[in-house]
């Protein structure tokens, strides 16, 4: 078997399209010959660094996005429902504390990224399915508890998430995304034959599969295989 191709997935839980891409990549890590590396970063820093304007601030884009996410939720098999006040959730509250929390989970997790995957998913579920907060320590703790972390682990992660070490780690990962040319999330970087192939968004998987020599079986590969 040829060596696994490394794929980096840069994301922020405030981004609904990142959730779609995240679930697809987590499914395909067991289908494609890849090594998936999760890269929690801060979307606000990327938007500012790239001089980009969030789609939610453009009225027509915002209207389209609401309809688009409803369709995509069913197609991708991801239980997505927009918050009652998307502007407050995405821009007033934001995700800095949440992404520092995820970065702290990753920093202390050894031998894999199962906790990072589960905590990220629970945070997405809170904001993009259950219309709940992801900024307060109690909110982060609840998500981590549902992800299977113990009380002592949660306390440790909460403390670590406010440290300079983690703040710098998140800044560094965010800068790495910018260095790859990021202007939004999700950003997927496939390392092919010694060079990075960069893809933006959650609708480039067919092209990505072509570039890495794999087969695209749709957003739910298990369901596609069952139909064959």
């Amino acid at each position: 078997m040829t060596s696994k191709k490394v794929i980096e997935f840069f994301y922020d839980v405030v981004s609904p399209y990142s959730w779609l891409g995240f679930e697809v990549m987590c499914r395909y890590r067991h289908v494609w010959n890849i090594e998936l590396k999760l890269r929690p970063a801060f979307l606000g820093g990327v938007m500012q660094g790239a001089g980009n304007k969030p789609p939610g601030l453009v009225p027509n884009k915002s209207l389209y996005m609401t309809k688009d996410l409803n369709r995509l939720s069913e197609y991708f098999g991801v239980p997505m429902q927009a918050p009652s006040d998307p502007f407050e959730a995405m821009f007033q509250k934001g995700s800095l504390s949440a992404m520092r929390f995820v970065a702290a989970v990753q920093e202390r997790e050894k031998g894999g990224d199962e906790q990072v995957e589960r905590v990220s998913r629970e945070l997405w579920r809170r904001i993009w399915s259950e219309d709940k907060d992801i900024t307060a320590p109690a909110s982060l703790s609840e998500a981590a508890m549902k992800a299977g972390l113990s009380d002592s682990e949660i306390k440790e992660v909460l403390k670590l998430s406010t440290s300079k070490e983690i703040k710098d780690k998140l800044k560094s990962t965010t800068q790495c995304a910018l260095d790859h040319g990021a202007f939004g999330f999700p950003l997927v970087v496939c390392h092919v034959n010694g060079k990075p192939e960069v893809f933006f968004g959650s609708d480039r998987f067919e092209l990505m599969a072509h570039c890495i020599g794999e087969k695209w079986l749709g957003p739910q590969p298990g369901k596609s295989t069952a139909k064959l």
Side-chain angles (χ1 to χ4, degrees), residues 42-110:
F42 181 47
L43 180 57
V46 163
M47 300 298 279
Q48 185 177 9
N52 197 4
K53 189 175 183 180
L57 296 182
V58 180
N60 280 1
K61 281 186 179 180
S62 182
L63 287 170
Y64 175 80
M65 189 171 143
T66 302
K67 295 177 182 176
D68 194 41
L69 290 174
N70 287 336
R71 293 181 299 211
L72 290 169
S73 174
E74 181 182 0
Y75 180 60
F76 279 79
V78 177
M80 193 174 287
Q81 179 69 43
S84 55
D85 188 342
F87 185 83
E88 179 191 39
M90 297 177 73
F91 305 116
Q92 292 181 341
K93 287 187 171 183
S95 60
L96 185 56
S97 59
M99 294 318 295
R100 284 175 176 166
F101 188 81
V102 176
V105 171
Q106 186 173 60
E107 182 67 21
R108 66 174 298 284
E109 184 174 16
K110 307 301 178 189

